[in-house]
């Protein structure tokens, strides 16, 4: 049975070049980058070349890239240290953030008694910028944390605009860019943002590695303590093969960006046309959404809804309902809950997300699968 993988917002297939790079490093370059002998120096050089390469693609300096174990860790670190060390007394965020931000902000509210304010979300999934500006009029040391591309609906935040607004209000700005890094150009010289985070497995790199961009002289302090790795900002022996795999994946993502983006956008158009034709009562969630993702409400009855993902899975088709972290859960998605009416929330929403590995045939198989349910 052909496997149809349409869950790329959840994770992506490794690029063959990434596997080759990682295998070579695992086999030959096993030194510890903190060792002074030649194997160690070799590992250190791989580490620093990876950092330079990642920084170059984002127009940052190498010193501003700190490697972490994943996007979740990077988000936790930035929010927590902002409160603990930078004395942020208030976090402005939204209820459609990934739980790595949302749950961290709430935990910090509990632990430190900081104020957490939520910017309104419009029914089309966009952040209400007028409300953000209103919230920023309060005098309190504040961190704004708003994601770039939403992992469930693909709605996009205007990073340039929001970073300018934050700068004008003398406010720190963090963006969870896990869904956008490697998929859209981000210029950190032109965008006055303080912190962003990324995760390699979202752009065809390995799981278990990510990075934080922390603007120079931010004052952020480490979450845990140990060696001098990452200039003491993130101790622990660096996973060189993961880091080099991530750098390779990012390099390939950006060198093929235009071609891949055009190709994936065409797949998305094809899917939306087919949905209109085969399910005229379906409804896309969100407006002006990212090119790799469609979140759609399907006009299915309750009896069909409960078994939807299971039935597609039996046909070899992998898609997601809400966010991947919640698949299998019967709770409605916390993101859709902010956008949809109660009636629409009861209907099944599917998240279909593409990569350049997908074809129109995958979409045809998905549509056949949905029609046969
Ligand atoms: N932030 C967003 C927007 C995500 O989509 C994800 C992954 O689903 C994460 C954070 C967490 O990243 P990681 O899987 O690297 O911990």
């Amino acid at each position: 049975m052909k496997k149809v993988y349409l869950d790329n917002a959840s994770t992506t297939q490794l690029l063959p070049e990434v596997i080759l790079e990682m295998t070579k490093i695992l086999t030959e370059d096993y030194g510890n980058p903190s060792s002074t002998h030649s194997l160690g120096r070799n590992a250190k050089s791989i580490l620093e070349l990876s950092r330079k390469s990642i920084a170059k693609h984002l127009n940052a300096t190498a010193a501003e890239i700190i490697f972490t174990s994943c996007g979740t860790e990077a988000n936790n670190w930035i929010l927590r240290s902002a409160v603990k060390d930078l004395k942020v007394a208030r976090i402005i965020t939204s209820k459609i953030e990934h739980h790595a931000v949302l749950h961290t902000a709430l935990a910090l509210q509990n632990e430190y008694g900081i104020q957490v304010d939520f910017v309104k979300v419009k029914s089309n999934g966009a952040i209400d910028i007028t409300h953000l500006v209103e919230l920023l009029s309060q005098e309190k040391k504040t961190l704004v944390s708003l994601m770039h591309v939403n992992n469930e609906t693909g709605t996009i935040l205007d990073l340039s605009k929001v970073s300018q607004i934050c700068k004008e209000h003398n406010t720190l700005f963090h963006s969870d860019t896990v869904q956008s890094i490697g998929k859209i150009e981000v210029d950190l010289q032109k965008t006055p943002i303080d912190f962003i985070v990324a995760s390699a497995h979202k752009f065809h790199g390995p799981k278990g590695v990510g990075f934080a961009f922390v603007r120079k002289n931010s004052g952020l302090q480490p979450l845990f303590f140990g060696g001098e790795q990452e200039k003491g900002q993130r101790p622990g022996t660096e996973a060189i093969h993961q880091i080099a795999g991530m750098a390779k994946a990012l390099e390939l993502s950006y060198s093929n960006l235009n071609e891949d983006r055009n190709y994936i956008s065409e797949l998305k158009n094809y899917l939306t046309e087919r949905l209109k034709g085969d399910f005229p009562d379906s409804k896309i969630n969100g407006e002006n959404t990212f090119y790799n993702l469609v979140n759609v409400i399907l006009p299915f009855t309750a009896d069909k809804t409960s078994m939807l993902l299971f039935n597609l899975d039996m046909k070899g088709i992998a898609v997601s309902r809400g966010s991947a972290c919640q698949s299998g859960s019967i709770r409605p998605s916390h993101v859709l809950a902010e956008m949809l009416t109660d009636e629409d929330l009861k209907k099944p929403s599917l998240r279909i997300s593409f990569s350049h590995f997908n074809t129109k045939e995958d979409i045809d198989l998905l549509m056949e699968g949905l029609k046969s349910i």
Side-chain angles (χ1 to χ4, degrees), residues 68-205:
T68 62
S69 66
C70 59
T72 300
E73 181 193 327
N75 278 327
N76 269 263
W77 173 38
I78 291 163
L79 264 60
R80 185 161 284 273
S81 178
V83 171
K84 190 167 67 68
D85 307 307
L86 308 184
K87 306 300 172 207
V88 158
R90 178 191 191 212
I91 293 179
I92 299 177
T93 187
S94 80
K95 290 192 177 162
I96 59 169
E97 298 299 306
H98 190 274
H99 284 150
V101 166
L102 207 47
H103 288 172
T104 307
L106 295 175
L108 292 166
Q109 183 181 38
N110 254 334
E111 287 174 50
Y112 291 87
I114 59 155
Q115 184 177 333
V116 176
D117 288 323
F118 295 103
V119 195
K120 285 182 197 153
V121 176
K122 299 181 188 172
S123 59
N124 66 2
I127 292 293
D128 185 338
I129 303 286
T130 315
H131 186 224
L132 173 65
V133 174
E134 268 169 41
L135 289 172
L136 284 171
S137 62
Q138 273 186 33
E139 294 274 321
K140 230 178 200 185
K141 178 133 188 189
T142 298
L143 171 78
V144 171
S145 179
L146 293 171
M147 71 204 306
H148 190 191
V149 170
N150 187 277
N151 53 302
E152 293 195 34
T153 58
T155 50
I156 307 166
L157 184 80
D158 185 339
L159 267 194
S160 304
K161 190 170 172 180
V162 174
S163 55
Q164 278 303 341
I165 291 172
C166 288
K167 194 175 173 199
E168 282 157 21
H169 287 82
N170 210 7
T171 297
L172 290 166
F173 179 34
H174 159 253
S175 185
D176 176 347
T177 50
V178 163
Q179 290 290 337
S180 61
I181 292 299
K183 302 192 187 99
I184 192 168
E185 299 85 350
V186 172
D187 185 328
L188 293 165
Q189 288 305 316
K190 289 198 185 132
T191 317
I193 189 165
D194 297 284
F195 313 107
I196 69 167
V197 308
S199 178
H201 73 98
K202 305 289 185 180
F203 49 85
H204 305 284

